[in-house]
Amino acid sequence: MDFKIRTFIGVEIAEKSRNQTGNFAKKLMDLDVDMKWEPVHKYHVTLKFLDEIPNEEVNDICVRVQRAVRDFPSFTLGLRGAGAFPNIEKPRNVWVGVHEGREEITELARRVDLAMQEVGFPRELKPFTPHVTLGRLRRATPGLADLSEKLAQYDNVDLGKSYIRHVTVFASHMARSGSSYTVLATCPLQ
């Protein structure tokens, strides 16, 4: 029997910035919206989602990510501005964006994408939009208009900075209570 691991690659956010972002998210949680809010300790920026991969491929994935990022310089990542996918008028995923370090994290995502393409993962076709997911809509509720209005008010909110020194390969474990993450590898930047 093949054992598979749900895997993604991302960067972790500094604790201070995670807490600032969590305090901001509380302002949105008071609205009458049926959202599944992410816990603060899970805040991160995803570079590439791989889905379920065979256990025996995990080590190769980790090594390839490490090679792809090892000569990339560490950088500062600043979180600013609330938004939503597909847009704030129809918010399904609520997030905060990356302001400072946007070019750097976009280049990191490109490098990771190319490294994963070499082992058969499809190339990302959509433009990379660096963000930290705060919550996902479960179902439409009357409070969506209020959420859209609140997001528009906070389109420039500053939520702190993180110094990015490494990329992380994560395993995501699904459960009824939500997902949890385990670090599979930490890949240092220069």
Side-chain angles (χ1 to χ4, degrees):
M1 180 167 79
D2 289 336
F3 177 65
K4 294 192 175 190
I5 301 174
R6 186 177 159 101
T7 309
F8 69 94
I9 301 157
V11 296
E12 298 174 88
I13 305 303
E15 183 178 4
K16 183 176 179 182
S17 186
R18 277 195 321 260
N19 289 336
Q20 282 179 265
T21 303
N23 288 335
F24 165 71
K26 287 177 186 173
K27 296 175 184 179
L28 304 176
M29 291 176 195
D30 292 336
L31 300 172
D32 182 25
V33 180
D34 190 9
M35 298 283 290
K36 166 72 172 109
W37 296 102
E38 291 293 333
V40 172
H41 70 274
K42 289 176 52 181
Y43 290 168
H44 66 278
V45 177
T46 299
L47 300 175
K48 183 151 181 89
F49 179 72
L50 302 179
D51 206 356
E52 292 190 350
I53 62 171
N55 186 47
E56 59 271 9
E57 293 178 18
V58 170
N59 190 54
D60 185 42
I61 298 284
C62 294
V63 168
R64 287 176 182 271
V65 172
Q66 202 155 24
R67 274 193 222 132
V69 305
R70 68 179 166 208
D71 66 343
F72 196 87
S74 298
F75 63 98
T76 300
L77 183 90
L79 298 179
R80 180 181 294 164
F85 294 129
N87 55 55
I88 63 169
E89 289 80 30
K90 296 180 181 177
R92 296 190 61 75
N93 288 356
V94 174
W95 48 261
V96 294
V98 171
H99 177 68
E100 185 177 347
R102 189 177 185 86
E103 287 178 19
E104 291 90 339
I105 198 156
T106 299
E107 174 59 18
L108 262 184
R110 187 189 72 76
R111 287 182 179 209
V112 166
D113 192 38
L114 287 173
M116 295 301 96
Q117 192 177 354
E118 290 173 3
V119 289
F121 289 94
R123 187 164 174 253
E124 295 295 333
L125 299 177
K126 290 189 228 172
F128 180 67
T129 305
H131 65 280
V132 174
T133 299
L134 303 181
R136 292 174 180 82
L137 186 68
R138 288 184 177 135
R139 61 182 172 82
T141 54
L144 283 180
D146 294 336
L147 177 61
S148 295
E149 186 178 308
K150 193 69 94 171
L151 291 173
Q153 289 173 11
Y154 289 109
D155 70 338
N156 204 29
V157 64
D158 186 351
L159 295 167
K161 296 180 181 184
S162 301
Y163 193 64
I164 307 301
R165 293 181 173 92
H166 63 270
V167 169
T168 304
V169 181
F170 292 96
S172 175
H173 312 283
M174 301 303 289
R176 283 186 188 263
S177 58
S179 62
S180 62
Y181 304 149
T182 303
V183 173
L184 296 173
T186 301
C187 308
L189 303 180
Q190 199 175 49

